[in-house]
Amino acid sequence: MKQSPRRLALFLSLAVGLLVCLLAAGIAAFALALRPPAGLAEEGILFTVRAGEGAGILAARLEAEGAIRSALAFRLLAKARGDEGRLKAGVYRIEPAMGGREVLGAIVSGRQALVRLTVPEGATLSRVALILEEGGVASAAEFRAAARDPSLLAELAIPGPSLEGYLFPDTYFMPLGYGAEGAARAMVAAFRSRLASIPEAAGLTTKELHEKIILASIVEREYRVADEAPVMASVFYNRLRIGMALQSCATVVYVITEKLGKPHPERLFARDIAIPDAYNTYLSRGLPPGPIANPGMTAIRSVFHPASTKYLYFRLIDESAGRHHFSETLEEHNDARSLFVKRAGGK
């Protein structure tokens, strides 16, 4: 029995209406599933996307950790946007206000969680390694190994046995879990960038630049007041010129803390100055084998633009103000009763 055109039209109208309602309900459910999840901690969570991880496994883990409401909705969104093959490995901070769209957008764009790290002027390689470990960027052991890796040193044109001296002291924003090599490259790149502001550096050979950085590292660990840095640089240049030992307390401290692994001393004694080591510039003439710290721009500029003096000696006369007395003769210098040492960068 044939249905009347009127009944058929009514049936089709109801069917279309039902489909529209189902579609609207589906869209609403999909939109709801992509809203920020409930119960996520106020500070958010750190979530690691593994290299080569597929959208399905990733979505399931995100849902299990409470980062998204629905793994299915997340997968459908990734498929609809063509993002399934664009997921970037890394560590991401998922915040309470982020829904599925924002989470997917962060992972596709590679906007990883960044940690703020401050490397102080005069920090040694070992101190930098600890700063990176404390910030969750790389383990201290891995960074120390990377900083001494011959292949990386050759690639970065560093002539010394390590990256000591070339890890520029600055504030960095690095991804969590960034890795030792990535962090090392970033710091050396910062060093090269800042060095470009000194025109005289461009014409130096790798060896000549290395010698400047060695001397800058000594100045860095000796000066306390910025306007004295160029004067100290002149003292060391004058000593080198006449073949006199540099006699830097900072190099002895380097031997004690970095070579012997002992605590930083409050002051030096005769027994310390007598420690046999190539870095001990009381016993060895000329520059030490390598930098003793990572100098900042004040110290670096001082060795490129030292003051013009005849000074051969300096001694601390005001520990609180960090002021030194500079002299040309040993007699005047011998008024000092003790040797004070500058604390290590960041300690």
Side-chain angles (χ1 to χ4, degrees):
M1 183 175 177
K2 292 185 178 180
Q3 293 181 343
S4 68
R6 188 174 177 180
R7 275 189 184 179
L8 183 59
L10 179 61
F11 175 78
L12 290 175
S13 176
L14 289 173
V16 170
L18 179 60
L19 287 174
V20 170
C21 289
L22 289 173
L23 181 60
I27 292 173
F30 183 68
L32 178 63
L34 291 175
R35 290 181 60 189
L40 198 63
E42 185 178 346
E43 67 273 14
I45 63 170
L46 292 175
F47 185 88
T48 301
V49 178
R50 302 159 186 156
E53 188 169 27
I57 295 175
L58 172 61
R61 288 203 304 115
L62 283 167
E63 181 179 343
E65 294 192 28
I68 59 174
R69 285 176 177 262
S70 167
L72 176 60
F74 186 89
R75 289 187 64 185
L76 291 174
L77 179 64
K79 188 174 186 63
R81 290 174 24 169
D83 288 339
E84 290 176 304
R86 301 170 57 201
L87 305 173
K88 294 180 174 61
V91 180
Y92 298 85
R93 184 176 295 280
I94 311 299
E95 299 178 351
M98 295 173 68
R101 288 185 179 84
E102 290 75 26
V103 172
L104 179 60
I107 295 173
V108 169
S109 68
R111 295 193 304 272
Q112 296 187 51
L114 299 179
V115 60
R116 186 178 187 269
L117 301 171
T118 298
V119 177
E121 295 177 344
T124 59
L125 189 157
S126 62
R127 177 62 181 143
V128 174
L130 289 175
I131 290 171
L132 291 172
E133 182 169 271
E134 291 164 2
V137 172
S139 78
E142 289 173 348
F143 185 78
R144 288 193 296 267
R148 295 183 174 94
D149 180 8
S151 61
L152 183 60
L153 291 169
E155 180 186 335
L156 297 176
I158 307 298
S162 76
L163 295 177
E164 188 85 84
Y166 297 87
L167 303 170
F168 191 74
D170 204 349
T171 295
Y172 296 90
F173 292 88
M174 295 184 182
L176 285 165
Y178 190 38
E181 189 171 309
R185 290 179 186 277
M187 292 185 191
V188 174
F191 167 82
R192 300 287 186 194
S193 176
R194 298 298 296 274
L195 189 67
S197 66
I198 303 177
E200 296 85 351
L204 297 181
T205 65
T206 300
K207 180 177 181 295
E208 289 170 337
L209 175 60
H210 193 58
E211 291 174 348
K212 293 283 190 187
I213 299 306
I214 292 174
L215 190 55
S217 73
I218 295 174
V219 173
E220 177 64 61
R221 291 296 296 272
E222 292 281 6
Y223 92 88
R224 297 190 181 188
V225 182
D227 61 21
E228 290 187 352
V231 185
M232 284 189 175
S234 76
V235 169
F236 291 125
Y237 275 125
N238 290 339
R239 291 177 180 178
L240 288 171
R241 179 174 49 80
I242 64 174
M244 176 181 172
L246 290 180
Q247 299 180 6
S248 165
C249 298
T251 63
V252 179
V253 173
Y254 181 81
V255 173
I256 293 172
T257 61
E258 306 304 310
K259 304 289 289 297
L260 301 180
K262 296 181 178 180
H264 192 290
E266 291 300 326
R267 62 181 63 205
L268 297 180
F269 299 94
R271 65 177 180 272
D272 301 314
I273 294 172
I275 297 173
D277 191 281
Y279 278 84
N280 183 348
T281 57
Y282 276 89
L283 301 181
S284 302
R285 295 181 184 275
L287 293 170
I292 62 170
N294 294 284
M297 288 307 295
T298 296
I300 293 174
R301 287 196 178 96
S302 77
V303 300
F304 279 93
H305 303 110
S308 178
T309 77
K310 295 182 180 180
Y311 295 140
L312 289 173
Y313 305 95
F314 61 86
R315 67 180 178 87
L316 189 66
I317 56 172
D318 187 338
E319 190 171 12
S320 61
R323 286 287 175 184
H324 294 79
H325 173 74
F326 295 86
S327 58
E328 298 180 17
T329 66
L330 181 59
E331 291 73 21
E332 186 179 356
H333 175 69
N334 281 338
D335 288 339
R337 293 183 179 180
S338 61
L339 298 172
F340 293 94
V341 294
K342 180 183 177 184
R343 271 208 169 275
K347 295 184 180 179

